Amino acid sequence: MMREQSDVIVCGGGLAGLTLAYQLRKENPEASVTVVERTTRPLPEACHKVGESSVELGSHYFGEVLGLKDYLQAEHLKKNGLRFLCGDSRGPVAERPEIGPAEFPIVPSYQLDRGKLENDLRAFCEELGVELLEGEHVRAIRLGKDGAPHEVETSAGTLKGRWVVDASGRRRMLSKQLGLRRPSPNASSAAWFRVAERVLLNELVPEGERLWHQRDIDGNRWLSTVHLMGRGYWVWLIPLSTGYTSVGIVADAEHHPFGTFNKPEKALAWLREHEPVLAERLEGRELEDFRLMHDYSYLTERMISADRWACVGEAAAFVDPLYSLGSDFLGMSNCYAARCIGDDLRGTLEADVVEALNETWVRVAEDAARTLSGNGEVFPHGDIFGAKLWWDFFNYWSFMCAHFFQEIWREDAATLRRFLGMQARYYALNSHAQAILEAWGALKPTPFGGRKRFIGLPSFPSTLADQHLSLQEDLDVEGTWAKMESDLAIGQQLVAEILAHALRDLGPETAAELGRRAGLDASWGLPLAGERIDADALPRRQRIEKLPRIARDMERALGRVDPGVPLSELLARALGTGAEAGAEAEARA
């Protein structure tokens, strides 16, 4: 039976499809929107899906773009940022370097109970007039040609729509049909489950460790997404508003074959081997809703087309859960799709806008994949991973968040193209940063690095804290561009300081190999010369006065290693220009 045509058919009524339908009706009240979803209500409130933890961009999308801030604060848990514990995973938790917020972040994010959220979103969508076809299964999508409507064949009949949006998650109907999948450099897998009680980080540390417990001044450490880091893996602990705790294992194939944790009993045995303190806390608890994602990461060459189709959320790409970016990519893809659909319904859609938005989204996903792959040797070291987090968060807030928060995606094609040029510059700098960090991790001679027991993320006051707070600013296009330019210069200083920390930590014997592995070249243009190099050799008090602010911030956060060799000599060796001078210095010593 042929049904009446809709303006938009959304294939899939999970988080991506429901939020897009809600957004479309809010922004285009006259548009007819149909969502086809195979499951029916009520969904179990503690249902277990990846995507429970959100960060700044995704939270901004849910709270501000969709207008759900009051609902989220009333019905879900406000999140105390991301928290990471590195070091000896088999040793006492109190002795592991802890990296995370010292105070509750001002820019909000949330721990989402997906079952409750999706139940409520279905009701919200119906209140706005979305047609929700529950219990229907999408069997096929047939794209119309030359402006003809698309057809969606379901278990109950055939639908026609001007636009069709694939929100089918990892089923990726359109991506498979059109051959859009691109491989990701991230070869990792995950297993996760939930337990019907709170599993608190503080419970893993004896009460006698008073200094450790005193760092949690307000008793809200448990509201963080906790990451227990080890070589080639990390384990998450996420509290849910229903009283459950989500527990997940994420591991790369190089260090931890999928078959070692792909069943409940194997996962528990794996935890006993790698995270014994947590395993002891979970002993005897029922593992509910055990789930798996093997080789989970994939990219795409296209998420939206001027031919009136789009892929949103995981139907487009999935990078990695380490930084909880799933809802970020969901929010970006939904906004890009909603903007283009709205333009089309008003008769103003430009193909150049579609192409620029698609290129922006695809590049952001590629950049995130570069950031979140090859980190297995970085994770155990509090100093290296701390440096990585400083850079990754600064980079994330400087471009990806700024582009979204300031709604650059609503601008014309010329402006979007202009910002693509800025994006490419950030991408290049990020590639340099990741190369240094990966080489540093691979060459680290000790199994666990990092002298600091606690690294604030961000620490106050600091350049990083200022960058986080700047997300609250309301800037126009030129103001956003100027800030990105300024932040890029600070970012170059930050990457230079990461290189300086790596060189001092590894010392003269390994400096040349660090440079070789990272592909270090003077053409990178890192500001590590002149007065900055001279200041490094000064006594501490004078050095602190002369160093740029970002260098002082990094030294305060990560500490400082003195290898007994000037930074200028270490840098020369890393660049391949100081080998003879280094050999002479060693001979004299």
Side-chain angles (χ1 to χ4, degrees), residues 69-87:
K69 184 175 181 179
D70 290 344
Y71 160 77
L72 292 170
Q73 292 185 342
E75 300 295 334
H76 298 267
L77 296 177
K78 194 173 180 182
K79 175 177 167 180
N80 188 15
L82 302 176
R83 191 170 304 276
F84 306 86
L85 287 93
C86 303

Side-chain angles (χ1 to χ4, degrees), residues 193-195 197-199 204 235 237 245 247-248 267-268 271-272 275-287:
F193 53 88
R194 59 189 175 96
V195 292
E197 61 185 84
R198 297 265 190 244
V199 178
L204 307 184
V235 173
L237 295 175
T245 300
V247 183
L268 287 174
L271 287 171
R272 283 192 287 270
E275 293 288 344
V277 178
L278 174 61
E280 183 179 357
R281 172 64 179 82
L282 296 175
E283 199 67 42
R285 273 65 178 182
E286 180 183 358
L287 309 190

Side-chain angles (χ1 to χ4, degrees), residues 6-10 24 32-35 161-165 341 345:
S6 298
D7 290 319
V8 186
I9 300 173
V10 180
L24 286 170
S32 55
V33 180
T34 299
V35 176
R162 176 163 179 77
W163 277 80
V164 64
V165 178
I341 291 170
L345 296 179

